[in-house]
Amino acid sequence: MPRRLVWLGVRIALPVALVVVTFGYAITGDHTDVWLGAGCGLAIGVGVGLRGGARGSLWTGILVGSVLGVATALLTGAQDLGWSVIIPPSTPLAIGLIDGLGRSSLSGYRDASRETFILAVLLSLGLGPALVVGGVPSWPLVAAYPLLATPWTALLLGLLCQRRKGWRDARPPRLLVLGGVALPILMGVLLGSGVIREGIGLPLIGGIAWIVGTLALSLVVIPVAAFLVGRAAATWLRPRLQVYGQLAAYLRVMWIPIGGFAVGYLTIIFLFAGFYGTLERFSPGAFAGAGPGVTDWLSFAFFNALGQDYGAVVPVSAGARMLVGLHLILSAGWAVVLFAAVMSYIGPKLDRIARRNPQDEGN
């Protein structure tokens, strides 16, 4: 694999893992749930990014992987729903996000089948390790579910997209229909055998209604809702995310002035931390609550530069209050003077960038 693709995969994997793992532990405290979300997010994000090549694939992979990973962690935290309800929305959600971002080419049932199969493989790879480590019962069947559901999912997505502009097929291929129908039949048999085996005690009509309702929810309602919500959200975000594509040019221009401001601001903080410590050393009691060492003085100077109270240290004497006032005046003056200087320095450069990236009048 070329070094460029390896580096692209690493750049996608790190932010996806950071987002999914931290949000996963905030959503649920179960390690298996978190690692399921992380595995799915990493597999889908990196796979989508590497497949997209250089066409904005970095941010597409990060966005799709993060959303899918967090959603998987959220759903797997509610194990009472059952895997037949948890797994089905994952692939349609990913396809909806990719389609809404304009990174898919759904123009026929063959395209829908190809996209569904690729994402199903990635999802199965992401589910597998966490299912094995977590000791999930029947983990091979659970991990293989996205692949088993590929014909049904492709058929469902094709029916949702067949009215879009450029759609080629008037009706789905027979082989795809046969493969899609096999999944509801298989799940119906499994659910029916489970009802009989566990002796739920439902009458015949009630048992059939429960099975049909579960199938409709897990195979139709949830996948369709996941695809439509993902596509609508990504479509809404797409023009708004394009704005961030222009930020790199602005940041390159502003990087040096921002660094200069930070250096000057930190210099003022360090200087006054020393002034505060020196005043307290030669005039004990000028500040209340200060401990030994420089930590409290640095914290006090930092919060004072921001105009915020730092409760651990309080100026008591007149000299201490005057020193704090001087610090505030210098900090505010530094911000105002440097802001004016920076704007005069970078103003012409920002104008040139704006002329290179004209905004569409319709936006």
Side-chain angles (χ1 to χ4, degrees):
M1 181 180 292
R3 184 179 301 179
R4 180 180 61 83
L5 294 180
V6 174
W7 176 235
L8 176 62
V10 172
R11 293 169 65 194
I12 294 173
L14 289 178
V16 170
L18 178 65
V19 171
V20 176
V21 171
T22 53
F23 272 83
Y25 279 114
I27 293 169
T28 172
D30 187 81
H31 297 298
T32 302
D33 297 341
V34 175
W35 291 113
L36 276 171
C40 293
L42 288 172
I44 294 293
V46 174
V48 169
L50 293 181
R51 186 177 175 224
R55 296 183 300 113
S57 55
L58 173 65
W59 296 109
T60 301
I62 292 174
L63 177 62
V64 175
S66 299
V67 171
L68 188 70
V70 171
T72 303
L74 177 62
L75 290 175
T76 51
Q79 289 286 352
D80 292 338
L81 293 176
W83 293 104
S84 62
V85 178
I86 291 173
I87 302 300
S90 300
T91 304
L93 175 62
I95 296 175
L97 290 169
I98 296 170
D99 190 45
L101 292 173
R103 301 297 176 181
S104 67
S105 56
L106 297 180
S107 57
Y109 284 99
R110 178 175 296 182
D111 297 330
S113 300
R114 183 182 64 251
E115 293 289 331
T116 304
F117 176 74
I118 292 173
L119 289 172
V121 171
L122 294 173
L123 184 62
S124 295
L125 292 175
L127 288 171
L131 292 175
V132 175
V133 174
V136 176
S138 304
W139 69 265
L141 181 60
V142 175
Y145 184 95
L147 289 172
L148 296 175
T150 295
W152 173 262
T153 305
L155 180 62
L156 204 63
L157 298 182
L159 293 174
L160 292 172
C161 298
Q162 65 179 355
R163 293 186 178 181
R164 71 192 303 171
K165 185 179 180 181
W167 187 264
R168 298 189 304 266
D169 302 326
R171 62 182 62 184
R174 293 181 180 179
L175 188 60
L176 183 63
V177 173
L178 292 175
V181 172
L183 181 65
I185 294 175
L186 175 62
M187 289 189 61
V189 171
L190 293 176
L191 290 174
S193 62
V195 170
I196 296 173
R197 183 176 61 253
E198 297 175 8
I200 296 179
L202 294 173
L204 178 60
I205 298 179
I208 294 175
W210 180 81
I211 293 173
V212 172
T214 302
L215 291 177
L217 180 67
S218 61
L219 294 183
V220 180
V221 176
I222 294 179
V224 168
F227 174 76
L228 294 177
V229 169
R231 185 175 64 178
T235 301
W236 184 85
L237 283 173
R238 183 180 176 184
R240 291 155 181 85
L241 292 176
Q242 290 175 348
V243 175
Y244 293 99
Q246 302 175 7
L247 287 182
Y250 289 98
L251 289 176
R252 281 194 295 267
V253 172
M254 298 180 65
W255 181 248
I256 294 178
I258 290 174
F261 173 78
V263 169
Y265 215 66
L266 292 175
T267 299
I268 293 174
I269 290 172
F270 274 94
L271 284 175
F272 274 87
F275 294 158
Y276 295 141
T278 301
L279 179 61
E280 177 64 20
R281 173 67 178 81
F282 289 99
S283 179
F287 295 89
V294 74
T295 304
D296 279 345
W297 299 120
L298 286 173
S299 300
F300 177 68
F302 177 79
F303 283 97
N304 191 49
L306 298 177
Q308 302 293 322
D309 291 333
Y310 182 68
V313 179
V314 179
V316 176
S317 68
R321 295 193 188 96
M322 291 177 61
L323 192 59
V324 169
L326 178 61
H327 186 186
L328 288 171
I329 292 172
L330 287 179
S331 297
W334 173 255
V336 171
V337 171
L338 191 66
F339 177 78
V342 166
M343 291 307 298
S344 63
Y345 169 74
I346 67 175
K349 298 182 179 180
L350 296 180
D351 290 338
R352 287 196 295 271
I353 295 174
R355 286 194 295 270
R356 289 200 304 266
N357 300 288
Q359 297 292 327
D360 295 332
E361 295 180 0
N363 292 341

